[in-house]
């Protein structure tokens, strides 16, 4: 990405938050004013002491105290505003990135690792926040202070060296006091970040599910809540930082007041000159430090710009749709699928995975797709779900799927995959993903209708049981039951069902078979069969072999006439069939 476009993206934020940046600039100018007011104070209080003008001495001392208070507030607001800008930009970029990712085509996720995505959303976004909040301002502040201080220095004589050594230890002490509270706030923030990071990773891992259940908007809302919590912790950290900075700066100033008390005494007794004392402090603080710190700030800026580049590249990826689609209503009665001469090869692969597939699935028909591992069964599902472009045509109710909106196409399907796409949430919430607006009573009713009561009675906390990441707390059978209940709750006219590969216990297998029977004449059902009994149940079996349809027919028709099917069926019966996941 061109540095020019990175700069314009960043400038857009400055423009959007111009009022806040203006406040920050006022803070910066006030800071420089205070930086120069200190030596002014020093000089004046010393002069007053030298000439023994106690009234003026008292007046300047009061001004000094005003400057001390101003220093605290200037630093407090400076840090607070910087943190506000950084937090705002982080929150905005994070949410924009997440939304953008969930609008990209599935093919994007085939070439991108979920860890990279999460790292951009969290680590890179943090760096950009730092850049826009403080690094950029430091780049301006350092040289400005140095120039201003240098001009001042030209007007005074410098020789004195002492007392400033006191500054360091005092600031270190303050650092220690506030350090522990900072660590606590940072720890909490980190925890929240890790939590949201795993939500992002899970959501990315489960992207086909999010797509087919049209959950983009629901997921985005959930993520907005998580991002807001991070935002709040970020602000808390900012407050702790502001208090630390304000106090340490004020203590620094206080040390100057004390140092000047001594300095003035030395001046009075003739050991040192006033100019030397002033020049030293000036030089030390405002001339040397900005320049020695500049290299570090510059390095940080470069690092930040490369993070910006990584983020803004994502925004250049073409989205599949502009807005998250909402659910679409389709007629349930008619859900026929027609595939005409469909051929397909995966990107960058020469070999065709599907070759000239022509298939007619009538409304409410129950089709079992059988075939060896790699014969193309899952790929048929992926094409129906619009994951990849292909040659030939697929129609649902005589409508070409490429011409349908994403929302309309998805509204035809409930999809149960081998990977059950479970979230670290309760069983109830996992089922609710099928229809986010469903009430608990509706879900319980459905479970009873499906005769899956064991999900309520056999789990330790019933439907409130935590499924664990990817459903680790559930058995294979329970996972399959949760995902089938979710699919039925979605109530789409076509059920795409990739049966469990690992053998389920007898009872679970019977329960799932019964559900398929129950909906046999209500829905169009396509099952990637891994089970002999499912095959027998089907109205029609489609036998796939190396991407081609070898034969179609009922079990009775094929078992007597088709040698290839006979062998395949025997493998299904003995459980030797080689299996895959979508
Ligand atoms: P089945 O479901 O019958 O086991 P698949 O449809 O999963 O078969 O796979 C068919 C062929 O496509 C296999 O050779 C598999 O290796 C290949 N394949 C599947 N997914 C991809 C992919 N994302 N990229 C490249 N090749 C793939």
């Amino acid at each position: 990405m061109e540095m020019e476009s990175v700069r314009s993206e960043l400038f857009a934020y400055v423009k959007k938050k111009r009022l806040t940046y203006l406040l920050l600039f006022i803070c910066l100018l006030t800071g420089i004013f205070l930086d120069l007011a200190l030596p002014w104070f020093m000089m004046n209080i010393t002069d007053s002491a030298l000439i023994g003008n106690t009234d003026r001495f008292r007046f300047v001392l009061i001004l000094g105290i005003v400057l001390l208070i101003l220093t605290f507030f200037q630093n407090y607001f400076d840090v607070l505003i910087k943190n506000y800008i950084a937090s705002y930009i982080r929150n905005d970029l994070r949410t924009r990135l997440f939304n953008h990712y969930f609008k990209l085509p599935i093919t994007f996720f085939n070439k991108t690792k979920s860890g990279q995505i999460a790292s951009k959303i969290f680590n890179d976004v943090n760096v950009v926040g730092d850049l826009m909040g403080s690094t950029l301002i430091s780049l301006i502040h350092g040289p400005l202070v140095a120039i201003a201080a240098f001009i001042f220095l030209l007007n005074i004589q410098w020789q004195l060296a002492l007392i400033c050594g006191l500054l360091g230890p005092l600031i270190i002490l303050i650092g220690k006091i506030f350090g522990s509270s900072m660590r606590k706030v940072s720890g909490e923030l980190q925890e929240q970040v890790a939590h949201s990071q795993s939500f992002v990773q899970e959501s990315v891992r489960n992207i086909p599910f999010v797509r087919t259940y049209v959950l983009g908007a629901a997921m985005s809302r959930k993520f907005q809540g998580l991002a807001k919590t991070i935002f709040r912790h970020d602000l808390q950290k900012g407050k702790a930082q502001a208090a630390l900075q304000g106090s340490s700066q004020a203590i620094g100033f206080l040390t100057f007041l004390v140092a000047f008390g001594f300095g003035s005494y030395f001046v009075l007794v003739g050991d040192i000159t006033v100019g030397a004392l002033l020049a030293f402090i000036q030089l030390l603080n405002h001339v040397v430090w900005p320049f020695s710190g500049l290299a570090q700030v510059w390095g940080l800026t470069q690092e930040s710009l490369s993070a910006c580049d990584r983020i803004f590249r994502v925004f250049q990826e073409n989205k599949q749709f502009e807005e998250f689609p909402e659910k679409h209503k389709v007629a349930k009665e008619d859900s026929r699928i027609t595939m005409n001469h469909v051929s397909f090869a995966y990107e960058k692969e020469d070999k065709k995975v599907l070759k000239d597939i022509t298939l007619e699935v009538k409304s409410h028909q129950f089709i079992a797709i059988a075939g060896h591992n790699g014969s193309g069964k899952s790929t048929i599902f992926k094409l129906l779900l619009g994951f990849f472009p292909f040659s030939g045509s697929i129609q649902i109710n005589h409508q070409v799927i490429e011409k349908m909106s994403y929302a309309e196409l998805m509204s035809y399907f409930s999809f149960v995959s081998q990977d059950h796409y479970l979230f670290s949430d309760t069983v109830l919430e996992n089922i609710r993903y099928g229809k986010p607006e469903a009430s608990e009573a509706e879900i319980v009713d459905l479970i009873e209708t499906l005769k899956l009561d064991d999900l309520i009675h056999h789990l330790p906390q019933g439907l409130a049981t935590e499924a664990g990441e990817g459903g680790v707390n559930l058995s294979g059978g329970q996972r399959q039951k949760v995902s089938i209940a979710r699919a039925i709750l979605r109530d789409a006219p076509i059920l795409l069902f990739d049966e469990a590969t690992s053998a389920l216990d007898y009872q679970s297998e019977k329960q799932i078979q019964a559900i398929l029977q129950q909906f046999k004449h209500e829905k169009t059902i396509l099952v990637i069969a891994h089970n002999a009994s499912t095959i027998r149940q089907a109205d029609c079996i489609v036998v796939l072999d190396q991407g081609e349809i070898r034969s179609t027919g009922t079990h009775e028709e094929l078992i007597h006439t088709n040698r290839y099917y006979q062998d395949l069926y025997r493998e299904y019966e003995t459980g030797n069939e080689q299996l895959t996941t979508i």
Side-chain angles (χ1 to χ4, degrees):
M1 192 173 172
E2 293 284 310
M3 257 312 128
E4 193 54 42
S5 27
V6 170
R7 268 198 288 271
S8 74
E9 285 271 3
L10 294 179
F11 186 67
Y13 275 116
V14 177
K15 229 168 116 185
K16 198 166 170 191
K17 285 276 145 194
R18 54 185 174 274
L19 210 64
T20 319
Y21 272 105
L22 184 68
L23 281 177
L24 191 57
F25 193 67
I26 293 170
C27 253
L28 181 137
L29 293 180
T30 316
I32 294 174
F33 162 77
L34 284 168
D35 287 341
L36 300 184
L38 179 64
W40 173 89
F41 162 79
M42 291 167 173
M43 233 178 326
N44 279 279
I45 202 164
T46 311
D47 286 349
S48 319
L50 273 174
I51 57 169
N53 186 344
T54 48
D55 280 351
R56 187 166 164 75
F57 184 85
R58 205 173 296 129
F59 171 73
V60 178
L61 193 65
I62 291 169
L63 269 183
I65 292 165
V66 172
L67 289 178
L68 168 77
I69 296 166
L70 207 57
T71 299
F72 173 80
F73 283 109
Q74 186 276 330
N75 276 280
Y76 182 85
F77 285 111
D78 183 67
V79 175
L80 199 64
I81 296 170
K82 282 176 179 167
N83 272 286
Y84 169 74
I85 292 175
S87 306
Y88 170 83
I89 290 177
R90 284 184 202 132
N91 183 55
D92 188 68
L93 270 180
R94 231 172 241 145
T95 317
R96 273 178 65 199
L97 262 179
F98 188 86
N99 285 358
H100 195 91
Y101 275 123
F102 277 83
K103 288 173 184 167
L104 293 179
I106 288 272
T107 41
F108 173 85
F109 298 92
N110 286 357
K111 56 182 191 207
T112 315
K113 290 190 187 115
S114 60
Q116 286 174 335
I117 293 173
S119 164
K120 272 184 199 146
I121 290 182
F122 293 96
N123 307 338
D124 288 345
V125 158
N126 271 353
V127 176
V128 180
D130 289 343
L131 173 75
M132 298 302 286
S134 53
T135 317
L136 275 186
I137 298 296
S138 307
L139 272 180
I140 305 168
H141 181 255
L144 273 184
V145 169
I147 292 165
F150 187 68
I151 293 168
F152 204 160
L153 193 65
L154 288 178
N155 289 296
I156 50 168
Q157 198 189 15
W158 61 276
Q159 265 174 6
L160 182 69
L162 249 182
I163 295 175
C164 291
L166 287 175
L167 262 175
L170 266 170
I171 292 174
I172 289 170
L173 187 72
I174 287 292
K176 274 213 152 97
I177 294 169
F178 284 97
S180 60
S181 88
M182 277 282 293
R183 264 197 300 281
K184 185 172 167 274
V185 181
S186 300
E188 286 166 358
L189 175 66
Q190 213 40 51
E191 222 167 272
Q192 280 306 321
V193 170
H195 179 57
S196 310
Q197 213 156 350
S198 69
F199 175 79
V200 171
Q201 271 166 340
E202 268 191 23
S203 310
V204 172
R205 202 168 45 234
N206 294 345
I207 189 87
F209 167 71
V210 174
R211 274 296 142 84
T212 46
Y213 279 62
V214 199
L215 285 169
M219 302 293 290
S220 178
R221 275 192 295 277
K222 275 197 176 209
F223 186 74
Q224 260 168 25
L226 291 170
K228 225 177 222 161
T229 316
I230 296 179
F231 180 54
R232 276 201 303 274
H233 280 82
D234 248 352
L235 285 184
Q236 263 176 359
K237 190 180 160 199
K239 275 186 193 159
Q241 250 174 0
L244 168 69
Q245 182 96 349
S247 316
S248 64
Q249 289 289 327
I251 292 285
F253 199 173
L254 191 68
T255 316
F256 273 93
L257 287 179
V258 175
F260 243 84
F262 285 110
S264 305
Y265 169 75
F266 291 135
V267 171
L268 207 62
V269 297
D271 280 358
I272 50 168
T273 67
V274 177
L277 175 65
L278 292 172
F280 177 81
I281 295 167
Q282 278 292 107
L283 189 71
L284 187 78
N285 282 301
H286 306 310
V287 182
V288 181
W289 164 244
F291 283 103
S292 63
L294 205 61
Q296 196 191 343
V297 175
W298 187 245
L300 217 64
T301 309
Q302 293 310 311
E303 207 183 299
S304 311
L305 285 176
S306 69
C308 295
D309 182 51
R310 285 196 291 276
I311 288 175
F312 296 130
R313 262 175 211 279
V314 177
F315 291 133
Q316 290 188 331
E317 292 278 346
N318 288 332
K319 286 184 270 190
Q320 186 179 358
F321 37 82
E322 282 305 315
E323 294 302 326
F324 286 123
E326 292 301 332
K327 259 191 192 159
H328 194 99
K329 278 247 168 290
V330 287
K332 289 200 181 128
E333 309 71 46
D334 208 4
S335 50
R336 74 176 50 210
I337 302 170
T338 318
M339 297 178 81
N340 258 319
H341 304 291
V342 171
S343 294
F344 172 74
Y346 281 99
E347 211 182 21
K348 296 197 190 106
E349 307 275 336
D350 297 331
K351 196 174 142 255
K352 277 192 178 163
V353 170
L354 292 177
K355 296 167 207 154
D356 202 31
I357 301 283
T358 293
L359 179 68
E360 174 88 29
V361 182
K362 297 190 192 84
S363 287
H364 304 170
Q365 204 178 12
F366 181 153
I367 300 279
I369 305 174
H372 286 114
N373 181 20
S375 54
K377 303 184 293 291
S378 307
T379 306
I380 289 187
F381 277 14
K382 290 181 196 170
L383 297 193
L384 286 173
L385 293 167
F387 287 181
F388 303 108
F390 53 85
S391 68
S393 94
I394 300 181
Q395 295 176 354
I396 299 176
N397 284 346
H398 310 293
Q399 250 189 300
V400 177
I401 63 167
E402 285 111 318
K403 295 219 170 116
M404 287 184 200
S405 72
Y406 157 75
E408 187 182 1
L409 177 61
M410 289 310 130
S411 56
Y412 278 104
F413 296 109
S414 280
F415 170 44
V416 180
S417 159
Q418 283 277 323
D419 182 340
H420 300 301
Y421 300 125
L422 297 184
F423 292 84
S424 333
D425 211 331
T426 60
V427 169
L428 179 79
E429 289 307 319
N430 269 293
I431 296 174
R432 209 199 297 269
Y433 274 111
K435 184 178 168 191
E437 67 278 12
S439 67
E440 184 170 347
E442 189 179 344
I443 293 171
V444 171
D445 263 7
L446 175 79
I447 288 174
E448 280 164 4
T449 315
L450 298 179
K451 301 196 174 63
L452 294 175
D453 313 46
D454 51 322
L455 281 183
I456 301 173
H457 304 306
H458 293 174
L459 286 169
Q461 273 105 39
L463 293 180
T465 305
E466 285 291 330
E469 197 177 333
V472 280
N473 300 343
L474 306 179
S475 71
Q478 286 163 342
R479 268 180 241 158
Q480 176 118 60
K481 284 181 227 173
V482 169
S483 52
I484 201 157
R486 186 165 65 178
I488 302 291
L489 181 68
R490 179 164 160 72
D491 198 23
I494 303 171
L495 174 66
L496 300 181
F497 183 35
D498 195 349
E499 263 190 337
T501 47
S502 49
L504 296 180
D505 60 273
Y506 181 74
Q507 196 212 356
S508 299
E509 199 181 305
K510 287 288 144 216
Q511 281 173 300
I512 286 164
Q513 300 281 335
I515 293 172
L516 292 179
Q517 274 299 332
Q518 198 175 338
F519 289 94
K520 197 168 167 179
H521 302 295
E522 274 181 44
K523 289 181 187 295
T524 304
I525 304 177
L526 269 80
V527 182
I528 294 180
H530 295 304
N531 218 307
S533 49
T534 310
I535 291 188
R536 284 197 307 271
Q537 235 184 341
D539 299 327
C540 176
I541 300 147
V542 175
V543 181
L544 268 191
D545 179 25
Q546 295 181 47
E548 287 176 278
I549 296 182
R550 185 132 190 169
S551 42
T552 51
T554 63
H555 174 69
E556 270 64 39
E557 284 163 9
L558 294 174
I559 200 73
H560 301 299
T561 56
N562 191 305
R563 186 67 203 265
Y564 185 83
Y565 178 75
Q566 286 166 0
D567 293 343
L568 185 67
Y569 183 73
R570 213 163 294 130
E571 287 175 34
Y572 271 93
E573 272 193 318
T574 51
N576 286 338
E577 183 255 349
Q578 296 293 299
L579 310 154
T580 50
T581 57
I582 195 167

